[in-house]
């Protein structure tokens, strides 16, 4: 018996020993055909794993002679490699998922329209989840795009969430932004308010920017470009993460996320919650907020996939406005006079609060091998607004708000009315929409897409009192329905959570009170042809839009409804790409848009009067490019020319006497934007290098009618002027960047990015002689240390230093005054100009545990 026992043990030991063996291989970066160091290699179903060395090579002892290796690297699409014997494997190629962003999304595959390198003939850049997580820090999501050609981000000095971005010199109202295929530009004016999307960095799996007309199938007018935000969905694997970050000016953020994984019945859930707060870089720009994300997925079979998602980012932040350069020189670059102290309590008279829950239901239906249907039904409910003063302020000698004196004045008021109060300018909305796309494979090489884009939007805008500051009521004498005046005593907090339902009734509103309804319907279609070395597409869309306005403040009840305005638009675009060889590809595209004017440009001066000057804006674009792919290097060259006629340009500045914002609008403007873009990257062993260059010439053409209003919408001046040859402002027309990632050790890497900006002009709308700002360069540094833990767990430590050299520069100019005789100048600019200084050196440190 003992012999039998020892014989069996010896047999099993021999079997185990025989089944074990060594596998070797090399992992390659599929984009530039170079070794990929630090890639993870794990035997599926076990904890046995290793990493590739600096030459992309690996050696792994496998516990059995057959199985599967899973090779992965953050920012790349994982690959499973079966093995049935030991020895050397063929070369393993991982493709960057920055160019295959929908590979990480389980829903909306037909709606989320992403371009694939030069297979789609457009200028495109992609940002993966790894780069977003590592580099975003305390910044707005817009800052993830600054290392791409022809992108300029401004507005950071205003406060958390107040940034804005331009693409090829076109502002946010002329760049299309999509969230999982859902349009998110404001329906009234096309603008984006990033404070409403402060949680985007937490939920984004990737971002792709298509510069120029783009390839999006939607009936949208992406003049500057199209930015696709691809969010997390219900993860198919169980796991989660915990994150904690801290930064300059007492900033901190905590985030928790968990995925149940998809169970055997096809159900799964992903949940994420976060909280952040900080004092802000400039004085008086404190902020706080939360972010929530809930995604529920259901895949009953291979043909159907459903996902319900709801997310929101309630936030509040104090704000900073532009000031004269002379004021900054006197009080410092961080000076902000929109605030003051009442005893030990800090109070700001300028701020923003908002809560915008967004929900969408996605359905992907694989009808058969030849056809698919993808749809997203969505809704958003925006609630909140801005905080500001009304009445006569009292200031201290150094310009701050004297709250004690203001309260004393209100309490001493003979009739109890407020001489000064704080108000909320409320901007509520409800937005519902449906986007659906049907794809049919006509032949092996020809696909046809057709779909609809339907939206219904209702906005409500009014002012309400936030704080009476010791007074009994606020006297409003402008409401037409209260000819004897209206005494308002109700007050409402500037709180993003209570704003969901806590706002003034119609009898408690002042200054303005109106609704608007915008209905939009669009149909789009596309044909796409692709063979091995050639691809081409042709797209077209038709859209119809209607507008109506109800004004309860300026009109009697019988006359409150405006004339209904309906207008149509269309676009057509197409392009082709040809692969000359494996190394060389060329492309070209063109398109024409006839775009309806925005709602705010249809009705004159925020009344029910219809503006007779508005007409469809005409956009014509041409683009051509070249792509180079070598063993250790890749590069793209893009040339473009875009003409835009009958557009409206609006800019703003602050009056240093009254403290009010002044708005300048230009009608009938024509712009010509042309330029060149280059982006490139290559790898030398463990060093990855990248760079970009963009050279633009963006000018106004012809005449423009200029209208100047104050923040209460009163007309201050109106004139027609020659703007021919005037430079387009608010975005640098020359940008240059260099970046590097270096794998110091197996788990330690460092990176650096340098950007240089030149030919940046003042943001003053359309004028003939614009003022150029001094050029500047910024260096950002970062380092990452990963600590692998048992299984798939990982602990990552990240440190960033932005503007590491502490470059002092002016990022925006909102006036264009030339120096008068004897006037002091700063870096060549008259100190009477209104400006924002850019942020100096900032830092952030984060710890992320993934399990």
């Amino acid at each position: 018996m003992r012999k039998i026992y020892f014989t069996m043990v010896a047999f099993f030991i021999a079997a185990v020993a025989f089944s074990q063996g060594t596998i070797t291989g090399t992992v390659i970066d599929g984009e530039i055909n170079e070794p990929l160091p630090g890639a993870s290699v794990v035997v599926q179903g076990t904890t046995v794993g290793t990493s590739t060395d600096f030459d992309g090579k690996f050696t792994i002892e496998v516990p059995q002679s057959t199985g599967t290796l899973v090779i992965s690297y953050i920012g790349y699409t994982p690959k499973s490699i079966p093995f049935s014997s030991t020895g050397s494997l063929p070369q393993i190629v991982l493709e960057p998922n920055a160019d295959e962003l929908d590979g990480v999304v389980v829903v909306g595959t037909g709606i989320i329209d992403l371009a694939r390198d030069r297979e789609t003939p457009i200028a495109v850049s992609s940002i993966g989840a790894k780069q977003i997580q590592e580099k975003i820090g305390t910044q707005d999501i817009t800052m993830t795009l600054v290392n791409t050609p022809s992108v300029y981000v401004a507005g950071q000095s205003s406060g958390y969430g107040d940034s804005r971005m331009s693409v090829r010199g076109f502002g946010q109202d002329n760049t299309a932004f999509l969230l999982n295929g859902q349009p998110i530009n404001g329906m009234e004016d096309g603008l984006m308010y990033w404070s409403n999307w402060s949680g985007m960095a937490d939920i984004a799996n990737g971002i792709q920017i298509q510069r120029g007309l783009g390839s999006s199938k939607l009936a949208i007018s992406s003049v500057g470009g199209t930015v696709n935000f691809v969010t997390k969905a219900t993860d198919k694997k169980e796991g989660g993460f915990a994150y904690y970050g801290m930064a300059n000016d007492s900033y901190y953020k905590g985030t928790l996320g968990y995925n149940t994984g998809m169970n055997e019945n096809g159900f799964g859930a992903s949940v994420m919650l976060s909280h952040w707060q900080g004092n802000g870089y400039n004085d008086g720009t404190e902020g706080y907020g939360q972010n929530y994300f809930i995604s529920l997925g259901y895949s009953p079979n291979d043909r159907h996939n459903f996902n319900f998602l709801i997310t929101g980012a309630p936030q509040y932040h104090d704000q900073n406005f532009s000031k004269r350069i002379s004021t900054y020189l006197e009080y410092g670059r961080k000076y902000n006079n929109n605030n003051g102290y009442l005893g030990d309590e800090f109070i700001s008279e300028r701020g923003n609060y908002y809560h915008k829950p967004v929900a969408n239901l996605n359905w992907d239906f694989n009808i058969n091998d030849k056809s698919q249907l993808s749809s997203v039904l969505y809704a958003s409910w925006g609630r909140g607004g801005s905080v500001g003063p009304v009445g006569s302020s009292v200031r201290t000698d150094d310009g701050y708000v004297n709250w004690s004196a203001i309260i004393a004045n209100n309490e001493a008021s003979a009739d109890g009315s407020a001489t000064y109060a704080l108000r909320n300018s409320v901007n509520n909305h409800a937005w519902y929409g449906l986007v659906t796309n049907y794809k049919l494979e006509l032949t092996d090489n020809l696909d046809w897409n057709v779909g609809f884009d339907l939206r219904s939007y209702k906005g409500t805008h009014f002012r309400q009192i936030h704080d009476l500051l010791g007074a009994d009521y606020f006297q409003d004498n402008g409401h037409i329905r209260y000819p004897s005046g209206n005494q308002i005593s109700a007050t409402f907090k500037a709180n993003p959570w209570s704003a969901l339902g806590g706002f003034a009734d119609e009898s408690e509103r002042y200054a303005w009170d109106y609704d608007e309804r915008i209905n939009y319907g669009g149909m789009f279609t596309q044909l796409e042809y692709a063979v091995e070395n050639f691809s081409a597409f042709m797209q077209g869309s038709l859209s119809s839009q209607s507008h109506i306005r109800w004004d309860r403040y300026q009109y009697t009840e019988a006359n409150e409804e405006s004339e209904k305005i309906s207008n149509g638009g269309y676009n057509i675009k197409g392009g082709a790409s040809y692969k000359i060889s494996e190394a060389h590809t060329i492309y070209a595209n063109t398109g024409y848009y006839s775009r309806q004017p925005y709602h705010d440009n249809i009705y004159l001066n925020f009344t029910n009067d219809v503006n007779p000057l508005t007409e469809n804006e005409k956009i014509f674009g041409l683009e051509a490019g070249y792509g180079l792919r070598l063993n250790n290097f890749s590069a793209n060259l893009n040339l473009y020319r875009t003409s835009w006629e009958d557009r409206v340009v609006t800019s703003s500045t602050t009056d240093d006497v009254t403290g009010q914002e002044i708005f300048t609008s230009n009608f009938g403007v024509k712009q010509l934007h042309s330029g060149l873009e280059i982006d490139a990257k290559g790898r030398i062993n463990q060093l990855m290098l990248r760079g970009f260059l963009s050279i633009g010439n963006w000018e106004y053409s012809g005449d423009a009618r200029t209208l100047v209003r104050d923040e209460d919408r009163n007309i201050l001046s109106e004139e027609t002027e020659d703007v021919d040859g005037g430079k387009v402002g608010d975005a640098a027309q020359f940008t240059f960047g260099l970046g590097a990632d270096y794998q110091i050790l197996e788990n330690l890497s460092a990176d650096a990015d340098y950007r240089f900006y030149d030919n940046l002009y003042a943001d003053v709308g359309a004028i003939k002689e614009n003022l150029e700002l001094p050029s500047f360069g910024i260096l950002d540094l970062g380092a990452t240390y990963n600590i692998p833990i048992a299984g798939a767990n990982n602990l990552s430590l990240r440190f960033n230093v932005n503007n590491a050299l502490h470059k002092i520069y002016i990022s925006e100019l909102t006036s264009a005054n030339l120096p008068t005789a004897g006037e002091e100048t700063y870096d060549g600019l008259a100190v009477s100009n209104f400006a924002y200084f850019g942020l100096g050196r900032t830092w952030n440190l984060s710890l992320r545990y993934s399990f």
Side-chain angles (χ1 to χ4, degrees), residues 136-153:
I136 191 65
T138 65
Q139 306 170 107
D140 291 346
I141 192 71
T142 52
M143 290 300 294
T144 60
L145 297 166
V146 295
N147 293 309
T148 57
S150 297
V151 172
Y152 186 75
V153 177

Side-chain angles (χ1 to χ4, degrees), residues 620-691:
F620 178 66
L622 292 168
E623 190 169 13
Y626 164 73
L628 175 66
R629 299 291 181 272
L630 301 175
N631 285 339
N632 59 352
F633 180 78
S634 66
N636 300 301
L637 167 67
N638 307 298
L639 302 171
Y640 66 89
R641 183 184 188 275
T642 304
S643 67
W644 190 352
E645 298 184 49
D646 298 322
R647 66 156 304 189
V648 176
V649 182
T650 299
S651 61
S652 67
T653 189
T654 306
D655 189 295
D656 58 347
V657 176
T658 65
Q660 286 210 343
E661 283 191 279
I662 305 300
F663 298 90
T664 302
S665 298
N666 305 113
F667 297 89
V669 177
K670 180 179 180 179
Q671 291 180 219
L672 293 174
H673 292 227
S674 58
L676 170 151
E677 300 167 340
I678 298 174
D679 62 90
K681 68 177 179 178
R683 188 189 295 275
I684 305 173
N685 296 324
Q686 61 268 37
L687 177 66
M688 171 68 81
L689 297 172
R690 57 187 175 273

